[in-house]
Amino acid sequence: MRNITRGKAGSENSMFKKILIANRGEIACRVIRSAQSMGIKTVAVYSDADKDALHVSMADEAVNIGPPAATDSYLRPEKIIAACKQTSAEAVHPGYGFLSENAEFAKDLDEAGITFIGPNIQAIKVMGDKIASKAFAEKANVNTVPGSPEEIETPEDAVRVALEIGLPVMIKASAGGGGKGMRVAHAEDEVAEGFQLARSEARASFGDDRIFIEKFIVQPRHIEIQVLGDSHGNVVHLMERECSIQRRNQKVVEEAPSSFLDDETRNSMGEQAVALAKAVDYRSAGTVEFIVDKDQNFYFLEMNTRLQVEHPVTELITGIDLVEQMIRIAAGEKLKLNQSDIKINGWAIESRIYAEDPYRSFLPSTGRLVRYQPPAENTHNGLTVRNDTGVYEGGEISIYYDPMIAKLVTHGPDRESATKHMSRALDSFCIEGIGHNIPFLSAVMDHPRWLSGDISTGFIDEEYADGFQGVEADEETICLLSAVAASIDHLYNIRRRTISGQMGGKEVSFTQQRVVVIGDNNTFVTVIQKPDILLINFRKGSCAEETVEVISDWVPGNPLWTGTVNSNPVAVQVKPVLNGFRLLYRGVDIEAHTYTEREAELQALMPVKIPADTSGQLLCPMPGLVVSIAVETGEAVKAGQSLCVVEAMKMENVLKAERDCVVAAILAEPGDKLAVDQVIIEFEKDTA
Ligand code: ADP
Ligand code: ADP
Ligand code: MG
């Protein structure tokens, strides 16, 4: 049986020959990559829904573990253990989510003589419970958020304790995770309700409804410390990550280091994280999460006893492969790193690319990835792009699992260069067939508060209170896209002439006059072809008169236009439409039409097509399953009233009436599987 402390630690032949990865998606692929580079054979497990998944094709062997639902496959310890036995895998890496923080699973593995690539069972147990871990942290002299040390039993107790602590307060489930089971109360009358809501959510999600209350830290920033401990008592920290860009207490953008910490705070956070890890005999990679107030006071939130989703930003600033370290530690090796070896090099940013529709309140989106063309991974001139992914073009995003499809990470010498590189990488990321949040991530990268570092966990709610409507193109963007549109149009015109043979197929240098129309902006341009460069002369109209130089080797048909405009590198996604192109750039999504001057004059006289009126209908915003319908035919409903519940990707989405109206017909019933935009309810004409 493999034990955690073994005499021959560090020796070559103690390393595992084969490990099993009890996970799916990008993290399974990520773990396989490190194992392969260490010369370790890998075993994937997969549900029926994942038989064609990327992690299955990357691994040396793969074992089917049952039906699509995670509760029937990835969450079943006995199936994972059977797969280990079948393939003689010596150890299991659990990734994150699923069984990664399940102490029973770690115990079952131990009893079966298989090594868990993670911490000791006691650490998982203590840190898996927020009340217990907070008490433990306090004993280890770690700062904790002021609040009730014990479980709160009744709404009356909740109100009393909240007033003692002082409003606002955070009401939290002890068993909570993934941002679930927590409520903020700003006023006394919100406390009892928040307590009930947190409690019922905790009961439904975790089967454990113990609740505690702590002070809500205002203008909070989420900053966490990565730790690494071995089974010989050595613990180091790998600096911090800031994860303040969150939606519904779930991280969206992360960075390392934090733009907020000074060295003194960084060191004392690191020291406290190490002290806590030592107090639980922590072995493996782990994360101590803190909430930090505007004066850099920091308080322990929780410890995640696993590899964290956002671990790549730490890898890029420290140069340390965390998965490799976890495997070495699990094999009994001693850490070869001292605290003084660990330095911050440059800046890294991670954007989580989710299958969700940012224009429809971020509802999950599923379907086939008709196009999946991520930016190239490379390091060039001190700038790095890394893309951790588990999908491929033609693959399917199913309704069964987490909606994250990739993690795009950039690294540069400083925050500004890493941000710019991220913007460009996002512009170059082509995804079609499903909704995705790339335009939203682009908007965040260009937001003045992101650029200045003035962020908090309230950023998204504060800046996008009414949701995300896309980015409005400013004048500079319109003129840049006008130049790109003129250059694309020019290439198409050359091609047409070449095909028709009018210019003998050889002509490469000529001049044309065109009008580029973007919304209400008309720009009159003269396009002059030189051997390697295109000169676009803005003659009159919406853009200031100047000559723009465009260089590009783009060819028609490529969905991504890349080149330079006045020497600045630019990437724009291009989709042909009637008389022009749809262009996507920095979260802007516009159509540019190109005409001769005469065509433009006539075009201005054309009637505008009015889109079909669908306000009299409730359309299904994403593919999903109807859970319940809350109204009846003939019923008068009020704005904001719940109409029905549709489930997709483990989330129940309540669809509400946008205005007062009367239900004319109900076209779906519970249990129906609906496509996007399928009509669920029709309203009476004059009422909708
Ligand atoms: P991390 O703390 O590693 O950044 P998150 O905080 O985003 O990860 O999520 C915490 C854990 O919850 C992860 O293990 C993740 O797999 C899981 N998780 C994320 N989203 C959901 C969800 N919608 N439902 C259930 N679990 C989730
Ligand atoms: P989970 O296990 O779901 O990740 P956490 O305790 O880590 O739960 O909290 C998740 C997020 O909720 C934090 O990143 C932070 O944004 C917010 N949060 C939690 N506790 C507080 C608090 N006391 N004050 C302010 N924000 C908090
Ligand atoms: Mg957390």
Side-chain angles (χ1 to χ4, degrees), residues 216-221 260 291-295 454-458 462:
F216 179 78
I217 304 300
V218 288
Q219 285 184 40
R221 300 176 72 128
F260 189 57
I291 197 92
V292 184
D293 74 10
K294 60 177 183 357
D295 303 316
D454 172 26
I455 51 178
S456 78
T457 60
E462 288 154 19

Side-chain angles (χ1 to χ4, degrees), residues 96-97 178 180 250-251 289 304 306 308-310 352 402 650:
Y96 54 73
K180 281 192 186 151
Q250 285 262 29
K251 300 156 186 167
E289 297 190 334
N304 290 327
R306 55 171 162 87
Q308 199 95 335
V309 175
E310 59 275 18
R352 297 194 190 190
D402 198 286
K650 298 191 297 186

Side-chain angles (χ1 to χ4, degrees), residues 480-498 510-517 523-529 534 536 550 552 554-557 561 574-583 592-597 599:
L480 174 93
L481 293 178
S482 297
V484 171
S487 87
I488 293 173
D489 169 69
H490 177 75
L491 265 184
Y492 274 106
N493 290 336
I494 289 186
R495 196 158 77 155
R496 259 179 235 125
R497 286 166 191 247
T498 313
F510 68 96
T511 299
Q512 10 169 25
Q513 310 234 316
R514 303 288 282 170
V515 184
V516 181
V517 180
T523 307
F524 293 75
V525 300
T526 303
V527 182
I528 304 151
Q529 171 82 66
L534 207 58
I536 300 187
V550 177
S552 171
W554 182 79
V555 288
W561 185 96
V574 183
K575 296 167 209 249
V577 296
L578 186 66
N579 294 327
F581 323 97
R582 183 175 157 208
L583 302 176
H593 298 276
T594 46
Y595 301 112
T596 62
E597 286 194 29
E599 282 167 353

